[in-house]
Amino acid sequence: MSQPANPPSLRPDLANAQVQSDLRKGQPNIGMVSLGCPKALVDSERILTRLRAEGYGISPEYQGADAVIVNTCGFLDSAKAESLDAIGEALKENGKVIVTGCLGAEPDYIREHHPNILAVTGPHQYEQVLDAVHSAVPPSPNPFVDLLPAAGVKLTPRHFSYLKISEGCNHKCKFCIIPDMRGKLASRPVHAILREAEKLAESGVKELLVISQDTSAYGLDRKYSTHPWKDREVRSHITDLARELGQIDPDLWVRLHYVYPYPHVRDLIPLMADGLILPYLDIPFQHSHPDTLKRMARPAHTAKTLDEITNWRAACPDITLRSTFIVGYPGETEAEFQHLLDWMDEAQLDRVGCFQYENVDGARSNDLPDHVAPEVKQDRWERFMEKAQAISEAKLQAKVGTTQQVIVDDIDEDGIATCRTKADAPEIDGNLFIDEGTDGLNVGDLVDVVVDEAGEYDLWGALQ
């Protein structure tokens, strides 16, 4: 339903983003603050890549930047507040601010709070952002000096990258306004995605995180058209795309996010069992009770979903299932919530996030009757998380003594390595920590680790 507050590693203004540090004399310099989900982060990378191609320098700091772009999130009131705070901070620290992103779809709302911003554009309006930058800070390119890196500008660590395969969404969930902000499903041509993935792998990326609003619907708007790739024709379909991504490099991790449980998702499971893509599905179930799902305007075949989960695990025993849920949705009764807890006992999902329902300006759910009291939402959230935590702890305990391949995300000054298993996506899932014997390890390495300890959400281990 929502995204958590941005961790420092997804804020290029707070992180060690891969940006140009040595400016030539007279080179215009642009700062960037990127808020919201990974899809917005990809938008930020595209904007910065275009700016670098035009000769702009990219600054990780407010000071010294000729202007600052704030890529906002506008999904929830809490996200809007974070975006407004970030705009205010940029105005205070720099003074020249261009706003883009999802909250940019409400320019009057932004200007009401911050009238001194230079310009406002909506989500994925790259050309308008560039026009605003040109007006505020004219380009001064030097074609003999300003060479764009082959993989473009990346705001994530060098060893993993988000790969956006489509924009928009055709669903009409009552609690969501993303289709209003980002439009209907618009899939990228399959060969363009594969070409980008290949370039990312060639540049040293070890993990691709495939993202969109509805990954399983990829290519539907294109009627699953085919395109030439290498020596064959490939459909614009998630199964074909996943198969091709898995053949780029045998060591490349390919992780699928935001996969709706359509029947054809079962065709992805053999690719996971064969090791072409990671055995990991991020599926936004949102709830289990048919009546709640009906009020959300979402598919309500929960019994079939449990059968699908059983079949997925039979075909690929190592599969990790991640999902998010909403508690306290308007009209949710205690019986409906208890149904969700019982469903969790049966589904035994590996990774779970939960959000308390909150109104969003423009969402149809605002007008539903029987809104749940805040104290009831809080109580249900606590009970849900207690259930999810117990399931997570038991599943992680079962991994003690096993050998897991991990990717190294960070090594601190004390030599402690923060890693992730194939069951863990960056920023949202758990970690595996190696406390000793990390000499010679580098960020981005893929290594085998024997798990010797488990917590509620994290693992500890030693190099094999």
Side-chain angles (χ1 to χ4, degrees):
M1 175 183 175
S2 67
Q3 299 293 334
N6 288 270
S9 56
L10 286 186
R11 286 278 301 272
D13 53 314
L14 302 179
N16 184 25
Q18 296 178 36
V19 296
Q20 181 185 16
S21 57
D22 52 335
L23 297 175
R24 57 177 169 78
K25 185 176 180 181
Q27 185 175 12
N29 196 17
I30 303 298
M32 169 68 87
V33 178
S34 188
L35 305 176
C37 62
K39 292 177 286 295
L41 191 73
V42 173
D43 290 343
S44 295
E45 291 178 340
R46 288 180 179 176
I47 291 168
L48 294 183
T49 297
R50 293 284 296 275
L51 290 173
R52 280 288 292 112
E54 293 185 355
Y56 289 90
I58 307 302
S59 172
E61 300 175 344
Y62 294 116
Q63 287 75 22
D66 296 305
V68 175
I69 301 170
V70 180
N71 191 0
T72 58
C73 179
F75 188 32
L76 295 173
D77 289 345
S78 54
K80 289 182 178 181
E82 183 187 6
S83 293
L84 290 176
D85 287 346
I87 295 168
E89 179 185 359
L91 282 168
K92 179 182 177 182
E93 298 293 332
N94 183 275
K96 290 186 176 183
V97 177
I98 296 163
V99 177
T100 189
C102 287
L103 189 57
E106 303 180 48
D108 294 340
Y109 175 81
I110 296 172
R111 291 192 182 279
E112 178 184 338
H113 291 82
H114 297 297
N116 296 324
I117 56 175
L118 298 177
V120 183
T121 72
H124 55 86
Q125 292 181 346
Y126 309 123
E127 298 300 331
Q128 290 90 327
V129 175
L130 293 173
D131 289 343
V133 171
H134 296 160
S135 297
V137 186
S140 178
N142 184 332
F144 299 103
V145 178
D146 301 323
L147 298 177
L148 182 68
V153 176
K154 289 183 75 275
L155 302 179
T156 51
R158 189 178 300 276
H159 61 286
F160 69 81
S161 183
Y162 294 103
L163 182 66
K164 186 190 286 190
I165 63 173
S166 66
E167 275 291 357
C169 180
N170 289 344
H171 292 284
K172 297 181 179 179
C173 304
K174 288 187 177 180
F175 56 81
C176 181
I177 59 172
I178 285 177
D180 296 328
M181 293 188 295
R182 291 184 170 263
K184 291 187 176 182
L185 177 70
S187 302
R188 298 175 59 195
V190 66
H191 62 288
I193 298 171
L194 292 171
R195 188 182 302 115
E196 180 182 353
E198 215 173 42
K199 288 182 179 179
L200 287 168
E202 289 170 358
S203 72
V205 168
K206 302 293 182 64
E207 178 181 13
L208 292 176
L209 299 111
V210 178
I211 58 171
S212 65
Q213 286 306 139
D214 182 0
T215 296
S216 358
Y218 168 71
L220 177 63
D221 56 308
R222 293 180 165 272
K223 299 181 180 179
Y224 305 124
S225 59
T226 61
H227 295 268
W229 174 251
K230 305 295 186 182
D231 57 351
R232 54 196 176 276
E233 294 283 325
V234 179
R235 282 191 307 163
S236 296
H237 188 284
I238 186 56
T239 306
D240 296 51
L241 175 62
R243 184 183 298 111
E244 295 295 332
L245 289 172
Q247 296 180 63
I248 289 176
D249 185 324
D251 295 324
L252 181 67
W253 284 12
V254 177
R255 188 183 303 276
L256 302 182
H257 283 286
Y258 316 126
V259 179
Y260 282 74
Y262 302 145
H264 68 258
V265 168
R266 63 178 68 119
D267 297 331
L268 293 169
I269 310 304
L271 305 182
M272 298 178 182
D274 292 341
L276 283 176
I277 61 177
L278 292 185
Y280 180 102
L281 275 181
D282 177 5
I283 300 179
F285 289 121
Q286 307 296 12
H287 210 280
S288 68
H289 197 281
D291 292 343
T292 311
L293 291 167
K294 186 175 181 180
R295 291 194 303 276
M296 291 178 170
R298 290 180 66 82
H301 303 298
T302 53
K304 291 184 179 179
T305 299
L306 287 172
D307 290 341
E308 285 293 321
I309 290 173
T310 299
N311 293 333
W312 295 343
R313 286 178 168 147
C316 183
D318 293 335
I319 193 170
T320 294
L321 299 179
R322 184 185 200 285
S323 190
T324 52
F325 295 86
I326 304 168
V327 296
Y329 190 78
E332 183 190 58
T333 64
E334 178 61 27
E336 290 174 358
F337 175 68
Q338 187 59 50
H339 184 281
L340 174 58
L341 294 183
D342 295 341
W343 188 90
M344 285 285 291
D345 279 330
E346 290 192 65
Q348 291 288 300
L349 302 181
D350 304 86
R351 300 281 188 265
V352 173
C354 181
F355 304 94
Q356 298 180 43
Y357 171 82
E358 64 177 86
N359 282 339
V360 180
D361 286 344
R364 293 179 295 154
S365 57
N366 300 358
D367 299 326
L368 290 174
D370 303 321
H371 279 244
V372 179
E375 62 272 16
V376 176
K377 287 193 285 188
Q378 179 67 26
D379 174 70
R380 290 178 182 173
W381 181 83
E382 291 174 359
R383 289 157 61 194
F384 181 94
M385 291 308 299
E386 183 179 2
K387 171 79 67 177
Q389 181 177 303
I391 293 172
S392 173
E393 188 171 11
K395 283 182 167 285
L396 292 183
Q397 191 62 43
K399 293 185 177 183
V400 173
T402 65
T403 298
Q404 302 285 330
Q405 187 185 48
V406 305
I407 190 166
V408 181
D409 279 341
D410 182 63
I411 303 173
D412 68 17
E413 58 187 14
D414 296 321
I416 298 175
T418 300
C419 314
R420 287 180 292 109
T421 71
K422 294 179 179 179
D424 301 299
E427 309 297 346
I428 57 175
D429 294 328
N431 292 299
L432 183 147
F433 299 98
I434 306 173
D435 294 334
E436 55 186 26
T438 59
D439 291 345
L441 270 190
N442 297 298
V443 171
D445 283 352
L446 293 172
V447 294
D448 290 331
V449 173
V450 178
V451 179
D452 54 31
E453 186 179 346
E456 296 166 348
Y457 300 109
D458 299 313
L459 298 170
W460 285 261
L463 289 169
Q464 190 175 45

